[in-house]
Amino acid sequence: MRTVIIGGVAGGMSAATRLRRLDEQREIVVFERGPYVSYANCGLPYYVGGVISDRSALLLQTPQSLASRFRLDVRTGHEVLFIDAAARTVTVLDHASGETSTEAYDELVLAVGATAREAAGHPGIPTHTLRTVEDVDAIGALLETAEDGAGDPSALVVGGGFIGLEAVENLVRRGIHVTLIQRGPHILTPLDAEMVVQLEAELRSHGVDVRTSVTIDTVQDGVVVLDDGSVLRPDFIVDASGVVPSVDLARTAGLTLGPTGGIAVDESNRTSDQHIYAVGDGVEKVDALSGGEALVTMAGLANRHGRSVADVIAGRPERNTPALGTAIVKVFDTVAAKVGWSERQLVSARRAHRVIHTHPASHATYYPGAQSMSMKLLVDPESDAILGAQIVGGDGVDKRIDVLAVAVAGGITASGLARLELAYAPQFGSAKDPVNQLGYVADNLRTGATAAIQWHELEDAVAAGATLIDVRTAGEHAAGAIPDALNIPVDELRSRLAELPDGPLVVHCQVGQRGHTAARILAQHGFDVVNLDGGYRTWAAGAATRVRQPAGV
């Protein structure tokens, strides 16, 4: 039996090496059009920034090492031009010799990934993506030229997603002045607006010129004109504006493409042709929340699906689990992570949801070095299922997002987070871990022990007649307050009930906890009261976005 794999790196090489472990006799041929078949593409930005100093550390395997250990026939510099699905052959161009050949297969695995959304160059300005070893070599050469020239070197990064942010950080590390432009109203669009305020502030604190709701209008003779009329003269451009599935081979082979534009596959990654499989960034996944098709471009999924395809080809039944879209990025000293859907997605899909914001510390506050986190949990109000989560902070973000991802995968409800038994010592967490705290809030809302409104709902509530009560200390109130809030500290609340007006009340503190206590006091004294979710800190972050959010469904 002969299996041909088109494309290496995560999905293709995972399929090839796993298949060899399962089948020693099979002939396995890998065609890779580039010079490198196995490299750490997630580490590329950090080589640009000098965090990873040894270029060879990025090159995980070579054709020779793969042949020695796995008896794989790996051919770099070989581009598959055409798939004849009926004949079960591929036409291959050898870039070194210029000759083409026809290669037969019993099973074919497409692992060709995705390509940059905007691959066109810009006249007079070197432009590169940041996806391959060749890209970082080219950017490295540009950096050396820019650093050796007169004046302060500068770069324009297009796109504020995960790759764009990593590119920005590492260019700054090299002493480059960076302008970051983002088409939408805020960077890192998988997160909601109020959650990225801290991240944008972190970028600006390191000298990054962050510009949102702006795109390139024209580029001519080394001058970039943005659509807001502003002019830039960068030494080079890094295009991180996104990717699209590479589907040309699939299309010409007659394979079915899905509604997202990616290659349609079944739960075993089999395409519409029973002898052709597909994995990686160019393939549609099943969204864990909607059950519909989605494009999720994550290295972990590519590796996992490459492995599962090998199992299927070897005769071992294997099915993909739906994709959660778990992701994380670190920009200077700030970490942002997410799993599942954002509030924006839920509103767009008109799906009912409940929102919870908390601002816990990474570990016990009495132990030195505790760092604040901002956490957001999205919950189905009927089933109490976790629909999504976002965390921004420093230490401990990775641990908590992974716990939440496992909770979603395991079907643990939002309230069930309160009952998780998590590792605790003062330097690692709190006796009430931040994940547990999310569960306590979720349970209070589920059971009706408290009611809450969101930061973007406050204006309408006040306009409808509600009175806002700030239950923080007088000093906190004086340092910054929501307009027209009446300040009555929570510790004085019982003795000052007579000062409260008739009608509905909205209470708030700094992060929500004292607000919950105040709401419980007032509710038991007969007041109509809700707590402002996430307190003043969440409201301030939301107000800073200057983007009015939908009030929900």
Side-chain angles (χ1 to χ4, degrees), residues 439-469:
Y440 296 141
V441 178
D443 191 58
N444 284 334
L445 293 170
R446 180 184 66 86
T447 60
T450 192
I453 65 169
Q454 293 302 305
W455 64 269
H456 52 75
E457 298 172 320
L458 179 59
E459 184 179 344
D460 289 342
V462 172
T467 300
L468 180 62
I469 310 297

PDB file of all heavy atoms in Angstrom, residues 439-469:
ATOM      1  N   GLY A 439     -17.302  30.010  39.196  1.00  0.00           N
ATOM      2  CA  GLY A 439     -18.402  29.093  39.495  1.00  0.00           C
ATOM      3  C   GLY A 439     -19.336  29.632  40.561  1.00  0.00           C
ATOM      4  O   GLY A 439     -20.563  29.474  40.463  1.00  0.00           O
ATOM      5  N   TYR A 440     -18.791  30.292  41.587  1.00  0.00           N
ATOM      6  CA  TYR A 440     -19.649  30.869  42.634  1.00  0.00           C
ATOM      7  C   TYR A 440     -20.571  31.941  42.055  1.00  0.00           C
ATOM      8  O   TYR A 440     -21.766  31.989  42.361  1.00  0.00           O
ATOM      9  CB  TYR A 440     -18.786  31.479  43.747  1.00  0.00           C
ATOM     10  CG  TYR A 440     -17.937  30.490  44.495  1.00  0.00           C
ATOM     11  CD1 TYR A 440     -16.631  30.820  44.878  1.00  0.00           C
ATOM     12  CD2 TYR A 440     -18.409  29.221  44.826  1.00  0.00           C
ATOM     13  CE1 TYR A 440     -15.841  29.915  45.564  1.00  0.00           C
ATOM     14  CE2 TYR A 440     -17.626  28.321  45.510  1.00  0.00           C
ATOM     15  CZ  TYR A 440     -16.338  28.665  45.877  1.00  0.00           C
ATOM     16  OH  TYR A 440     -15.556  27.765  46.554  1.00  0.00           O
ATOM     17  N   VAL A 441     -20.000  32.806  41.215  1.00  0.00           N
ATOM     18  CA  VAL A 441     -20.823  33.850  40.603  1.00  0.00           C
ATOM     19  C   VAL A 441     -21.888  33.227  39.704  1.00  0.00           C
ATOM     20  O   VAL A 441     -23.058  33.624  39.726  1.00  0.00           O
ATOM     21  CB  VAL A 441     -19.954  34.837  39.806  1.00  0.00           C
ATOM     22  CG1 VAL A 441     -20.824  35.891  39.124  1.00  0.00           C
ATOM     23  CG2 VAL A 441     -18.928  35.509  40.710  1.00  0.00           C
ATOM     24  N   ALA A 442     -21.478  32.243  38.905  1.00  0.00           N
ATOM     25  CA  ALA A 442     -22.432  31.585  38.010  1.00  0.00           C
ATOM     26  C   ALA A 442     -23.564  30.939  38.794  1.00  0.00           C
ATOM     27  O   ALA A 442     -24.735  31.007  38.387  1.00  0.00           O
ATOM     28  CB  ALA A 442     -21.707  30.529  37.168  1.00  0.00           C
ATOM     29  N   ASP A 443     -23.232  30.321  39.925  1.00  0.00           N
ATOM     30  CA  ASP A 443     -24.264  29.664  40.727  1.00  0.00           C
ATOM     31  C   ASP A 443     -25.203  30.689  41.355  1.00  0.00           C
ATOM     32  O   ASP A 443     -26.418  30.471  41.427  1.00  0.00           O
ATOM     33  CB  ASP A 443     -23.600  28.809  41.808  1.00  0.00           C
ATOM     34  CG  ASP A 443     -24.588  27.888  42.495  1.00  0.00           C
ATOM     35  OD1 ASP A 443     -25.228  27.078  41.786  1.00  0.00           O
ATOM     36  OD2 ASP A 443     -24.743  27.989  43.718  1.00  0.00           O
ATOM     37  N   ASN A 444     -24.656  31.818  41.809  1.00  0.00           N
ATOM     38  CA  ASN A 444     -25.519  32.870  42.363  1.00  0.00           C
ATOM     39  C   ASN A 444     -26.515  33.397  41.332  1.00  0.00           C
ATOM     40  O   ASN A 444     -27.680  33.652  41.642  1.00  0.00           O
ATOM     41  CB  ASN A 444     -24.659  34.024  42.893  1.00  0.00           C
ATOM     42  CG  ASN A 444     -24.003  33.704  44.220  1.00  0.00           C
ATOM     43  OD1 ASN A 444     -24.502  32.886  44.995  1.00  0.00           O
ATOM     44  ND2 ASN A 444     -22.866  34.325  44.477  1.00  0.00           N
ATOM     45  N   LEU A 445     -26.050  33.552  40.108  1.00  0.00           N
ATOM     46  CA  LEU A 445     -26.941  34.035  39.054  1.00  0.00           C
ATOM     47  C   LEU A 445     -27.947  32.963  38.657  1.00  0.00           C
ATOM     48  O   LEU A 445     -29.122  33.248  38.413  1.00  0.00           O
ATOM     49  CB  LEU A 445     -26.121  34.467  37.829  1.00  0.00           C
ATOM     50  CG  LEU A 445     -25.222  35.692  38.028  1.00  0.00           C
ATOM     51  CD1 LEU A 445     -24.286  35.875  36.838  1.00  0.00           C
ATOM     52  CD2 LEU A 445     -26.070  36.953  38.222  1.00  0.00           C
ATOM     53  N   ARG A 446     -27.488  31.726  38.593  1.00  0.00           N
ATOM     54  CA  ARG A 446     -28.384  30.626  38.206  1.00  0.00           C
ATOM     55  C   ARG A 446     -29.511  30.434  39.211  1.00  0.00           C
ATOM     56  O   ARG A 446     -30.660  30.205  38.829  1.00  0.00           O
ATOM     57  CB  ARG A 446     -27.569  29.331  38.070  1.00  0.00           C
ATOM     58  CG  ARG A 446     -28.398  28.095  37.677  1.00  0.00           C
ATOM     59  CD  ARG A 446     -27.521  26.844  37.665  1.00  0.00           C
ATOM     60  NE  ARG A 446     -27.035  26.512  38.999  1.00  0.00           N
ATOM     61  CZ  ARG A 446     -27.714  25.779  39.873  1.00  0.00           C
ATOM     62  NH1 ARG A 446     -28.926  25.317  39.573  1.00  0.00           N
ATOM     63  NH2 ARG A 446     -27.190  25.498  41.050  1.00  0.00           N
ATOM     64  N   THR A 447     -29.174  30.542  40.489  1.00  0.00           N
ATOM     65  CA  THR A 447     -30.168  30.288  41.534  1.00  0.00           C
ATOM     66  C   THR A 447     -30.996  31.515  41.891  1.00  0.00           C
ATOM     67  O   THR A 447     -31.942  31.424  42.670  1.00  0.00           O
ATOM     68  CB  THR A 447     -29.477  29.773  42.802  1.00  0.00           C
ATOM     69  OG1 THR A 447     -28.536  30.757  43.257  1.00  0.00           O
ATOM     70  CG2 THR A 447     -28.750  28.454  42.529  1.00  0.00           C
ATOM     71  N   GLY A 448     -30.612  32.673  41.350  1.00  0.00           N
ATOM     72  CA  GLY A 448     -31.344  33.894  41.661  1.00  0.00           C
ATOM     73  C   GLY A 448     -30.907  34.545  42.955  1.00  0.00           C
ATOM     74  O   GLY A 448     -31.571  35.470  43.435  1.00  0.00           O
ATOM     75  N   ALA A 449     -29.777  34.082  43.533  1.00  0.00           N
ATOM     76  CA  ALA A 449     -29.283  34.712  44.753  1.00  0.00           C
ATOM     77  C   ALA A 449     -28.897  36.165  44.499  1.00  0.00           C
ATOM     78  O   ALA A 449     -28.901  36.990  45.417  1.00  0.00           O
ATOM     79  CB  ALA A 449     -28.082  33.938  45.305  1.00  0.00           C
ATOM     80  N   THR A 450     -28.559  36.466  43.262  1.00  0.00           N
ATOM     81  CA  THR A 450     -28.277  37.849  42.872  1.00  0.00           C
ATOM     82  C   THR A 450     -28.651  38.016  41.414  1.00  0.00           C
ATOM     83  O   THR A 450     -28.818  37.031  40.688  1.00  0.00           O
ATOM     84  CB  THR A 450     -26.784  38.191  43.090  1.00  0.00           C
ATOM     85  OG1 THR A 450     -26.601  39.596  42.971  1.00  0.00           O
ATOM     86  CG2 THR A 450     -25.911  37.498  42.070  1.00  0.00           C
ATOM     87  N   ALA A 451     -28.811  39.248  41.001  1.00  0.00           N
ATOM     88  CA  ALA A 451     -29.050  39.575  39.595  1.00  0.00           C
ATOM     89  C   ALA A 451     -28.002  40.596  39.168  1.00  0.00           C
ATOM     90  O   ALA A 451     -27.490  41.360  39.992  1.00  0.00           O
ATOM     91  CB  ALA A 451     -30.454  40.139  39.395  1.00  0.00           C
ATOM     92  N   ALA A 452     -27.667  40.610  37.894  1.00  0.00           N
ATOM     93  CA  ALA A 452     -26.600  41.497  37.428  1.00  0.00           C
ATOM     94  C   ALA A 452     -26.950  42.086  36.071  1.00  0.00           C
ATOM     95  O   ALA A 452     -27.737  41.516  35.315  1.00  0.00           O
ATOM     96  CB  ALA A 452     -25.276  40.739  37.340  1.00  0.00           C
ATOM     97  N   ILE A 453     -26.340  43.241  35.784  1.00  0.00           N
ATOM     98  CA  ILE A 453     -26.410  43.803  34.449  1.00  0.00           C
ATOM     99  C   ILE A 453     -24.987  44.059  33.969  1.00  0.00           C
ATOM    100  O   ILE A 453     -24.055  44.149  34.778  1.00  0.00           O
ATOM    101  CB  ILE A 453     -27.241  45.105  34.383  1.00  0.00           C
ATOM    102  CG1 ILE A 453     -26.572  46.215  35.196  1.00  0.00           C
ATOM    103  CG2 ILE A 453     -28.660  44.871  34.845  1.00  0.00           C
ATOM    104  CD1 ILE A 453     -27.200  47.582  34.954  1.00  0.00           C
ATOM    105  N   GLN A 454     -24.834  44.189  32.669  1.00  0.00           N
ATOM    106  CA  GLN A 454     -23.525  44.381  32.074  1.00  0.00           C
ATOM    107  C   GLN A 454     -23.175  45.863  31.958  1.00  0.00           C
ATOM    108  O   GLN A 454     -24.047  46.728  31.980  1.00  0.00           O
ATOM    109  CB  GLN A 454     -23.482  43.727  30.694  1.00  0.00           C
ATOM    110  CG  GLN A 454     -23.569  42.215  30.735  1.00  0.00           C
ATOM    111  CD  GLN A 454     -22.450  41.623  31.579  1.00  0.00           C
ATOM    112  OE1 GLN A 454     -21.273  41.889  31.342  1.00  0.00           O
ATOM    113  NE2 GLN A 454     -22.815  40.843  32.582  1.00  0.00           N
ATOM    114  N   TRP A 455     -21.880  46.126  31.771  1.00  0.00           N
ATOM    115  CA  TRP A 455     -21.405  47.511  31.680  1.00  0.00           C
ATOM    116  C   TRP A 455     -22.091  48.264  30.543  1.00  0.00           C
ATOM    117  O   TRP A 455     -22.376  49.446  30.661  1.00  0.00           O
ATOM    118  CB  TRP A 455     -19.888  47.537  31.504  1.00  0.00           C
ATOM    119  CG  TRP A 455     -19.389  46.921  30.210  1.00  0.00           C
ATOM    120  CD1 TRP A 455     -19.031  45.627  29.994  1.00  0.00           C
ATOM    121  CD2 TRP A 455     -19.191  47.601  28.970  1.00  0.00           C
ATOM    122  NE1 TRP A 455     -18.629  45.431  28.703  1.00  0.00           N
ATOM    123  CE2 TRP A 455     -18.711  46.639  28.042  1.00  0.00           C
ATOM    124  CE3 TRP A 455     -19.361  48.911  28.541  1.00  0.00           C
ATOM    125  CZ2 TRP A 455     -18.400  46.948  26.720  1.00  0.00           C
ATOM    126  CZ3 TRP A 455     -19.053  49.235  27.215  1.00  0.00           C
ATOM    127  CH2 TRP A 455     -18.587  48.264  26.318  1.00  0.00           C
ATOM    128  N   HIS A 456     -22.365  47.561  29.435  1.00  0.00           N
ATOM    129  CA  HIS A 456     -22.978  48.230  28.296  1.00  0.00           C
ATOM    130  C   HIS A 456     -24.494  48.365  28.437  1.00  0.00           C
ATOM    131  O   HIS A 456     -25.147  48.952  27.577  1.00  0.00           O
ATOM    132  CB  HIS A 456     -22.614  47.527  26.986  1.00  0.00           C
ATOM    133  CG  HIS A 456     -22.883  46.049  26.970  1.00  0.00           C
ATOM    134  ND1 HIS A 456     -24.134  45.511  26.854  1.00  0.00           N
ATOM    135  CD2 HIS A 456     -22.020  44.994  27.061  1.00  0.00           C
ATOM    136  CE1 HIS A 456     -24.048  44.194  26.849  1.00  0.00           C
ATOM    137  NE2 HIS A 456     -22.783  43.855  26.985  1.00  0.00           N
ATOM    138  N   GLU A 457     -25.062  47.810  29.518  1.00  0.00           N
ATOM    139  CA  GLU A 457     -26.494  47.961  29.777  1.00  0.00           C
ATOM    140  C   GLU A 457     -26.787  49.065  30.798  1.00  0.00           C
ATOM    141  O   GLU A 457     -27.941  49.428  30.994  1.00  0.00           O
ATOM    142  CB  GLU A 457     -27.069  46.634  30.295  1.00  0.00           C
ATOM    143  CG  GLU A 457     -26.950  45.478  29.314  1.00  0.00           C
ATOM    144  CD  GLU A 457     -27.355  44.148  29.915  1.00  0.00           C
ATOM    145  OE1 GLU A 457     -27.014  43.908  31.103  1.00  0.00           O
ATOM    146  OE2 GLU A 457     -27.998  43.350  29.215  1.00  0.00           O
ATOM    147  N   LEU A 458     -25.742  49.570  31.437  1.00  0.00           N
ATOM    148  CA  LEU A 458     -25.929  50.506  32.549  1.00  0.00           C
ATOM    149  C   LEU A 458     -26.596  51.805  32.093  1.00  0.00           C
ATOM    150  O   LEU A 458     -27.515  52.309  32.757  1.00  0.00           O
ATOM    151  CB  LEU A 458     -24.579  50.815  33.205  1.00  0.00           C
ATOM    152  CG  LEU A 458     -24.622  51.803  34.376  1.00  0.00           C
ATOM    153  CD1 LEU A 458     -25.516  51.291  35.493  1.00  0.00           C
ATOM    154  CD2 LEU A 458     -23.204  52.075  34.881  1.00  0.00           C
ATOM    155  N   GLU A 459     -26.159  52.350  30.991  1.00  0.00           N
ATOM    156  CA  GLU A 459     -26.705  53.628  30.521  1.00  0.00           C
ATOM    157  C   GLU A 459     -28.213  53.535  30.314  1.00  0.00           C
ATOM    158  O   GLU A 459     -28.965  54.435  30.718  1.00  0.00           O
ATOM    159  CB  GLU A 459     -26.020  54.041  29.223  1.00  0.00           C
ATOM    160  CG  GLU A 459     -26.454  55.403  28.697  1.00  0.00           C
ATOM    161  CD  GLU A 459     -25.733  55.790  27.425  1.00  0.00           C
ATOM    162  OE1 GLU A 459     -24.702  55.168  27.103  1.00  0.00           O
ATOM    163  OE2 GLU A 459     -26.203  56.719  26.737  1.00  0.00           O
ATOM    164  N   ASP A 460     -28.654  52.444  29.701  1.00  0.00           N
ATOM    165  CA  ASP A 460     -30.094  52.275  29.471  1.00  0.00           C
ATOM    166  C   ASP A 460     -30.847  52.092  30.782  1.00  0.00           C
ATOM    167  O   ASP A 460     -31.975  52.584  30.934  1.00  0.00           O
ATOM    168  CB  ASP A 460     -30.347  51.076  28.552  1.00  0.00           C
ATOM    169  CG  ASP A 460     -29.919  51.343  27.112  1.00  0.00           C
ATOM    170  OD1 ASP A 460     -29.749  52.528  26.756  1.00  0.00           O
ATOM    171  OD2 ASP A 460     -29.735  50.371  26.356  1.00  0.00           O
ATOM    172  N   ALA A 461     -30.247  51.381  31.732  1.00  0.00           N
ATOM    173  CA  ALA A 461     -30.905  51.167  33.016  1.00  0.00           C
ATOM    174  C   ALA A 461     -31.102  52.488  33.760  1.00  0.00           C
ATOM    175  O   ALA A 461     -32.177  52.743  34.335  1.00  0.00           O
ATOM    176  CB  ALA A 461     -30.089  50.193  33.871  1.00  0.00           C
ATOM    177  N   VAL A 462     -30.080  53.333  33.752  1.00  0.00           N
ATOM    178  CA  VAL A 462     -30.186  54.633  34.415  1.00  0.00           C
ATOM    179  C   VAL A 462     -31.208  55.514  33.698  1.00  0.00           C
ATOM    180  O   VAL A 462     -32.012  56.211  34.327  1.00  0.00           O
ATOM    181  CB  VAL A 462     -28.811  55.314  34.476  1.00  0.00           C
ATOM    182  CG1 VAL A 462     -28.939  56.745  34.970  1.00  0.00           C
ATOM    183  CG2 VAL A 462     -27.864  54.519  35.381  1.00  0.00           C
ATOM    184  N   ALA A 463     -31.198  55.463  32.364  1.00  0.00           N
ATOM    185  CA  ALA A 463     -32.162  56.252  31.589  1.00  0.00           C
ATOM    186  C   ALA A 463     -33.591  55.819  31.881  1.00  0.00           C
ATOM    187  O   ALA A 463     -34.529  56.626  31.816  1.00  0.00           O
ATOM    188  CB  ALA A 463     -31.863  56.118  30.102  1.00  0.00           C
ATOM    189  N   ALA A 464     -33.752  54.547  32.242  1.00  0.00           N
ATOM    190  CA  ALA A 464     -35.085  54.019  32.547  1.00  0.00           C
ATOM    191  C   ALA A 464     -35.509  54.277  33.986  1.00  0.00           C
ATOM    192  O   ALA A 464     -36.608  53.873  34.393  1.00  0.00           O
ATOM    193  CB  ALA A 464     -35.129  52.519  32.256  1.00  0.00           C
ATOM    194  N   GLY A 465     -34.636  54.937  34.778  1.00  0.00           N
ATOM    195  CA  GLY A 465     -35.037  55.322  36.132  1.00  0.00           C
ATOM    196  C   GLY A 465     -34.260  54.698  37.261  1.00  0.00           C
ATOM    197  O   GLY A 465     -34.518  54.992  38.444  1.00  0.00           O
ATOM    198  N   ALA A 466     -33.276  53.827  36.963  1.00  0.00           N
ATOM    199  CA  ALA A 466     -32.499  53.197  38.027  1.00  0.00           C
ATOM    200  C   ALA A 466     -31.512  54.195  38.627  1.00  0.00           C
ATOM    201  O   ALA A 466     -31.012  55.093  37.944  1.00  0.00           O
ATOM    202  CB  ALA A 466     -31.753  51.982  37.493  1.00  0.00           C
ATOM    203  N   THR A 467     -31.223  54.032  39.913  1.00  0.00           N
ATOM    204  CA  THR A 467     -30.216  54.847  40.594  1.00  0.00           C
ATOM    205  C   THR A 467     -28.965  54.013  40.801  1.00  0.00           C
ATOM    206  O   THR A 467     -29.031  52.861  41.245  1.00  0.00           O
ATOM    207  CB  THR A 467     -30.727  55.327  41.963  1.00  0.00           C
ATOM    208  OG1 THR A 467     -31.906  56.124  41.763  1.00  0.00           O
ATOM    209  CG2 THR A 467     -29.673  56.156  42.677  1.00  0.00           C
ATOM    210  N   LEU A 468     -27.807  54.594  40.479  1.00  0.00           N
ATOM    211  CA  LEU A 468     -26.541  53.885  40.608  1.00  0.00           C
ATOM    212  C   LEU A 468     -25.924  54.184  41.971  1.00  0.00           C
ATOM    213  O   LEU A 468     -25.736  55.341  42.342  1.00  0.00           O
ATOM    214  CB  LEU A 468     -25.587  54.320  39.494  1.00  0.00           C
ATOM    215  CG  LEU A 468     -24.204  53.665  39.484  1.00  0.00           C
ATOM    216  CD1 LEU A 468     -24.316  52.162  39.295  1.00  0.00           C
ATOM    217  CD2 LEU A 468     -23.342  54.273  38.372  1.00  0.00           C
ATOM    218  N   ILE A 469     -25.602  53.133  42.729  1.00  0.00           N
ATOM    219  CA  ILE A 469     -25.015  53.252  44.054  1.00  0.00           C
ATOM    220  C   ILE A 469     -23.608  52.683  44.037  1.00  0.00           C
ATOM    221  O   ILE A 469     -23.405  51.506  43.731  1.00  0.00           O
ATOM    222  CB  ILE A 469     -25.849  52.500  45.117  1.00  0.00           C
ATOM    223  CG1 ILE A 469     -27.337  52.872  45.018  1.00  0.00           C
ATOM    224  CG2 ILE A 469     -25.292  52.762  46.508  1.00  0.00           C
ATOM    225  CD1 ILE A 469     -27.625  54.324  45.299  1.00  0.00           C
TER     226      ILE A 469
END
